[in-house]
Amino acid sequence: MRKMILLMSIFAMPLAMAQQQSSPDGNVVLTFSLKADGTPSYKVTYKNKAVINESTLGFKIREVLSSYLLKSDETPVYSEKSLPDDSKIKKIEPLTQNFKVVDTKKSTFKETWKPVWGEESEILNHYNELLVQLQQEKTHRKMNIRFRVYNEGVGFRYEFPSQKELTYFVIEEELSQFAMTGDHTAWWIPGDYDTQEYDYTESKLSEIRGLMKQAMSDNVSQFVFSPTGVQTSLMMKTKDGLYINLHEAALVNYSLMNLNLDDKTFVFQSWLTPDAQGAKGYLQAPCHSPWRTIMVSDDARKILASRLILNLNEPCAIADTSWIKPVKYVGVWWEMITGKNSWSYTNDLPAVDLNTVDYTKTKPNGTHGATNEEVRKYIDFAAKHGFDQVLVEGWNIGWEDWFGHKKDYVFDFVTPYPDFDLKALNDYAHSKGVKLMMHHETSGSTRNYERHMKAAYELMNQYGYNAVKSGYVGDILPVGEHHYSQSTINHYLYAIKEAAKHKIMVNAHEAVRPTGICRTYPNMIGNESARGTEYEAFGGNKVFHTTILPFTRLQGGPMDYTPGIFETEMKYVNPNNNSQIRSTLARQLALYVTMYSPLQMAADLPENYEKHMDAFQFIKDVPVDWQKSVYLEAEPGRYITIARKDKHSNDWYVGCTAHEGGHTSELLLNFLDKGKKYEATIYADAKDANWKTNPKAYTITKQKVNAKTKLKLTAAKGGGFAISIKEVKSK
C-alpha cells in the first residue's frame, strides 16, 4: 500500500507543480501554478524580465435555481409567487480556491490566413498553448484555463465544460488579476459602462486617482464606476523600456471588461459591465469567456504590428465574402456636426409620434441637411473624384426629439422626410457609379432597432445600399441596461449577423469597442467607440490623441475616425462655433495611413477641398486596403510613422502623426523593392506650420527615390506628413 501511495504521489506531483509555456521565439514565458490554498495563478516574463507578477484567477458566481420544483405529475403554474427572489438564488462557493490540477496539455499551432481586408494580405497565427484542467475539490466543479503564448504576448480564457455541478450560473465578478511590476506610465481613459469617448491622459499608475475627475468629460450617456477604473486597451511603458498592453479578444455573449486598479499594489483586476439587475453575465456550460490579452515588447513598433487580437478570434464565418469591399466615402455629416445644418426637418414639433405625425403639414426649418439638392451635390463630388459612397444622415423622420427622453419608438428606419426622395436619389447616384450609404441612428433603443431591422435591411436591398452606419447615442433601452452589458453586446453582434444575411456592411458608432470580431464577421467594416474627429468640432481633442489611438482603440479593429478636415477653424463653417481642430492640414492627410480602416471618409465639406485640390490629391490616391504594413517609428503619445503597400499595386504610402512637440524623422526607404525606381510626392508641414497659429501651411514636393533613399522630414507641432510613392515603370 505504501508503494502505491508513493507512486500516485509521484504521478500527481507534476500536475501540482508550476507549468510553463513559452512563445515560439522563447522570449515570452507564461507560468501557471496553484497557490497553497488551491488558487489558480499565473505570471509572465519577457526576455527574463517580469511583465506580470503573480496574479490570481477565478470568479465570484451565483447559481440561479428554478422558481419552482416540479414533480413528474405536476403542471407548471405561473404567478407572482413563482418569480425568482433572493431565496431562489443560491450563493455558491467562489471559483477561486481549493482547486487541483486534473490534467495539463501542451500544443503548438501555426497557420497563415488571409483576411478579407486588412493591414496586410496575409497574417501569421503562431502560438504555443497550455491548457490547464482544474477541479474544485469540495464542489467538484470544473474550470479550465487555456493560455496561448505568442511572440508578442499572451492570451488566456476561462472554459467551463459540460457538467452537472455547474450548468446555468450568473457572474457576480470575474477575478482576473494583472499585477504590474511597478508604477508604470500609462495612457488611459476612465473606466465606463457606456462610453469610450474620452480624451487620453498620460500619467503614472499612482496618479490615476488624483487625475480621474479632470479626465472625465460630459457625455450623453456615461457611468464611471471607480476612481481608479480604466478601460482597455490600456497602453503602458515601464521604467526599463518595456511596452505593455492589456486588452481582450473575441467578446461574444459576455460583458465588456474594464480594469480596476489597486494603486497601492499596482494590481489591476477585471471589472465587468453589469446589467440592469447588477449581474455581470449569464452563462450556460459548456461555455467560455473572451480572451484576456497581454502584449509586451521592448519595441513600440511591435505592439502596432501585433495581430494577437485578430488571431484569438474565430475564422471567417461568412462563406461568400465577395460582396465585402473597402469603402472610401464622403457625406452629409460634417455640416451637422459643426452646427451649420441640422438632422431635423422642422422646428415645429417639440415631440414626435411616428404613428400620427404628418411632416408635409409642418414648416421646414431651412437648416435640414439631407435635402435632395444637398445630396446631389455630394453625389456629383464623389463621382468626379472617385469616391465609392455618399453617407446621408438625417434622411429619415423622427430627428426632432431623437434622444434624451428614454423613448422606445424613436425611428422606423424606412420613412424619409418630404425633402429626401429615396428612389430618385438612389437612381441618380447609381447613374454616376456611386452608392448611397444608409444611416440608422437607434438613439440607444436596441429593442426598437431589432423590431424594425428586417424591414430596414430589406429597404436597403431594394435600393442598392450595401453599407450602413448605425448609431447608439444616449442611454440604452430597455431602461437600466448599459452600452457594454452582455445583452447589448449580443445586440451588436445580432445586427452584424443579420446584416450579413442581406449582404450589408456595418459601421457601428457608440457601440462597444472592437475585440477582433471583424476576423469572424468581416462585414463589420468599421466602428467608432472612441473620440473621433467630431470632437474637434466640440472643443477639440488633445494634440497627441492620434499618436495614442493606434496603440489602444485600434488594437481591436479599425476605427471610422473621419479624418481629412482641411478647414480647421470652425468659425468659417459655422460662425457660432469657435472650435479649432488641433492638427495641421498635412497631418490630416497622414491619418489616412496611420489610422487604419477599410472605411475612410473625406469628412470635410466639398467647398473646403476645392480650395486645396493639390493636397486633396493624396486623399483621392490613398488606398483603403493593404498588402503590407511597415511600422517605421513609434512612441505612444509622441509620434507614429507607418508605411503601407497598396494591395493592388506596387505603390506605397507613408504617414506620420506627431504630438504637440512635433517630430523629426529620418526615414530609410528600404521597404521598397530593390532595383526598382519610384517617384515620391511629399505632403509636409511648411517650416512655419503650427496646428494653432498656421495649420494650413504645407508644401508639396516630388523626388525620385529607391530602396537606398533616406528622407529627413519634420512634423510641426501637432503636425505630420504624408507621402505617396509610386513605381516608375521602365519604358
Side-chain angles (χ1 to χ4, degrees), residues 334 532-534 536 541 546 561-568 580-595 600-604 609 615 618-619 622 655-658 683 685 691 695-696 718-722:
W334 189 241
T533 299
E534 66 179 353
E536 300 281 15
N541 294 322
T546 55
Y561 189 73
T562 61
I565 305 299
F566 281 10
E567 181 47 73
T568 59
Q580 181 177 353
I581 292 182
R582 298 175 184 182
S583 167
T584 65
L585 189 151
R587 186 171 81 167
Q588 288 294 305
L589 301 180
L591 296 179
Y592 288 92
V593 180
T594 62
M595 295 287 292
Q600 291 282 22
M601 185 182 195
D604 209 341
Y609 290 132
F618 183 85
I619 299 179
V622 67
C656 171
T657 177
Y683 303 78
D685 291 320
W691 76 265
K696 287 180 280 191
F721 55 80

Side-chain angles (χ1 to χ4, degrees), residues 482-612:
H482 292 291
H483 281 74
Y484 313 137
S485 55
Q486 183 183 28
S487 63
T488 315
I489 299 295
N490 290 345
H491 163 82
Y492 299 139
L493 187 54
Y494 173 78
I496 292 164
K497 290 180 177 180
E498 291 300 303
K501 294 176 183 177
H502 294 266
K503 296 187 176 181
I504 290 171
M505 299 180 289
V506 176
N507 168 29
H509 282 228
E510 297 87 29
V512 67
R513 44 112 174 108
T515 56
I517 299 293
C518 56
R519 177 187 179 184
T520 311
Y521 297 98
N523 67 313
M524 193 177 96
I525 199 171
N527 277 91
E528 183 191 36
S529 304
R531 280 175 75 111
T533 299
E534 66 179 353
Y535 277 87
E536 300 281 15
F538 306 154
N541 294 322
K542 290 181 181 177
V543 181
F544 72 174
H545 192 58
T546 55
T547 70
I548 300 171
L549 284 173
F551 287 102
T552 54
R553 160 62 185 78
L554 271 68
Q555 284 296 321
M559 179 179 177
D560 184 25
Y561 189 73
T562 61
I565 305 299
F566 281 10
E567 181 47 73
T568 59
E569 295 183 77
M570 297 303 96
K571 64 185 179 182
Y572 296 117
V573 178
N574 173 14
N576 298 316
N577 188 338
N578 293 316
S579 296
Q580 181 177 353
I581 292 182
R582 298 175 184 182
S583 167
T584 65
L585 189 151
R587 186 171 81 167
Q588 288 294 305
L589 301 180
L591 296 179
Y592 288 92
V593 180
T594 62
M595 295 287 292
Y596 168 69
S597 178
L599 178 80
Q600 291 282 22
M601 185 182 195
D604 209 341
L605 308 181
E607 53 264 38
N608 291 333
Y609 290 132
E610 288 165 353
K611 298 173 186 176
H612 304 279

Side-chain angles (χ1 to χ4, degrees), residues 61-67 84-85 88-92 167-171 279 281-282:
I61 62 174
R62 65 188 187 191
E63 186 178 19
V64 179
L65 304 178
S66 300
S67 56
D85 56 32
K88 304 292 174 64
I89 296 176
K90 180 183 177 184
K91 299 278 186 176
I92 66 174
T167 52
Y168 296 91
F169 56 101
V170 180
I171 299 173
Y282 299 83

Side-chain angles (χ1 to χ4, degrees), residues 210-267:
L211 295 171
M212 181 60 71
K213 286 187 178 179
Q214 67 188 67
M216 293 187 294
S217 54
D218 290 340
N219 196 287
V220 296
S221 182
Q222 61 187 145
F223 194 113
V224 175
F225 66 85
S226 165
T228 57
V230 297
Q231 300 195 40
T232 69
S233 173
L234 176 66
M235 188 69 196
M236 292 173 284
K237 185 179 181 180
T238 69
K239 291 179 181 178
D240 56 354
L242 286 186
Y243 299 89
I244 302 171
N245 185 287
L246 303 181
H247 197 23
E248 64 179 320
L251 175 58
V252 176
N253 193 28
Y254 206 86
S255 60
L256 175 141
M257 179 184 74
N258 289 286
L259 299 171
N260 201 34
L261 175 68
D262 182 333
D263 48 4
K264 293 183 176 62
T265 62
F266 304 126
V267 174

Side-chain angles (χ1 to χ4, degrees), residues 138-300:
K138 291 182 180 179
T139 68
H140 303 293
R141 300 181 193 273
K142 300 177 181 67
M143 181 178 76
N144 302 334
I145 305 175
R146 188 180 300 270
F147 297 93
R148 289 181 180 173
V149 189
Y150 292 81
N151 291 344
E152 65 268 39
V154 175
F156 69 86
R157 74 180 185 189
Y158 302 90
E159 299 177 355
F160 298 95
S162 179
Q163 55 190 298
K164 65 180 181 180
E165 294 83 6
L166 191 66
T167 52
Y168 296 91
F169 56 101
V170 180
I171 299 173
E172 287 199 13
E173 191 58 80
E174 179 187 321
L175 303 176
S176 301
Q177 288 186 348
F178 305 85
M180 299 296 101
T181 60
D183 192 9
H184 304 334
T185 298
W187 291 267
W188 57 275
I189 56 176
D192 197 300
Y193 297 152
D194 285 297
T195 185
Q196 286 119 13
E197 295 179 6
Y198 291 109
D199 246 328
Y200 281 87
T201 298
E202 177 183 327
S203 77
K204 297 291 186 181
L205 296 178
S206 60
E207 297 170 331
I208 290 176
R209 183 185 298 272
L211 295 171
M212 181 60 71
K213 286 187 178 179
Q214 67 188 67
M216 293 187 294
S217 54
D218 290 340
N219 196 287
V220 296
S221 182
Q222 61 187 145
F223 194 113
V224 175
F225 66 85
S226 165
T228 57
V230 297
Q231 300 195 40
T232 69
S233 173
L234 176 66
M235 188 69 196
M236 292 173 284
K237 185 179 181 180
T238 69
K239 291 179 181 178
D240 56 354
L242 286 186
Y243 299 89
I244 302 171
N245 185 287
L246 303 181
H247 197 23
E248 64 179 320
L251 175 58
V252 176
N253 193 28
Y254 206 86
S255 60
L256 175 141
M257 179 184 74
N258 289 286
L259 299 171
N260 201 34
L261 175 68
D262 182 333
D263 48 4
K264 293 183 176 62
T265 62
F266 304 126
V267 174
F268 285 106
Q269 182 177 291
S270 55
W271 188 284
L272 304 183
T273 304
D275 66 6
Q277 297 182 1
K280 297 197 170 185
Y282 299 83
L283 300 183
Q284 174 189 346
C287 60
H288 57 76
S289 73
W291 294 93
R292 280 61 187 98
T293 63
I294 304 156
M295 283 185 273
V296 58
S297 180
D298 51 13
D299 186 339

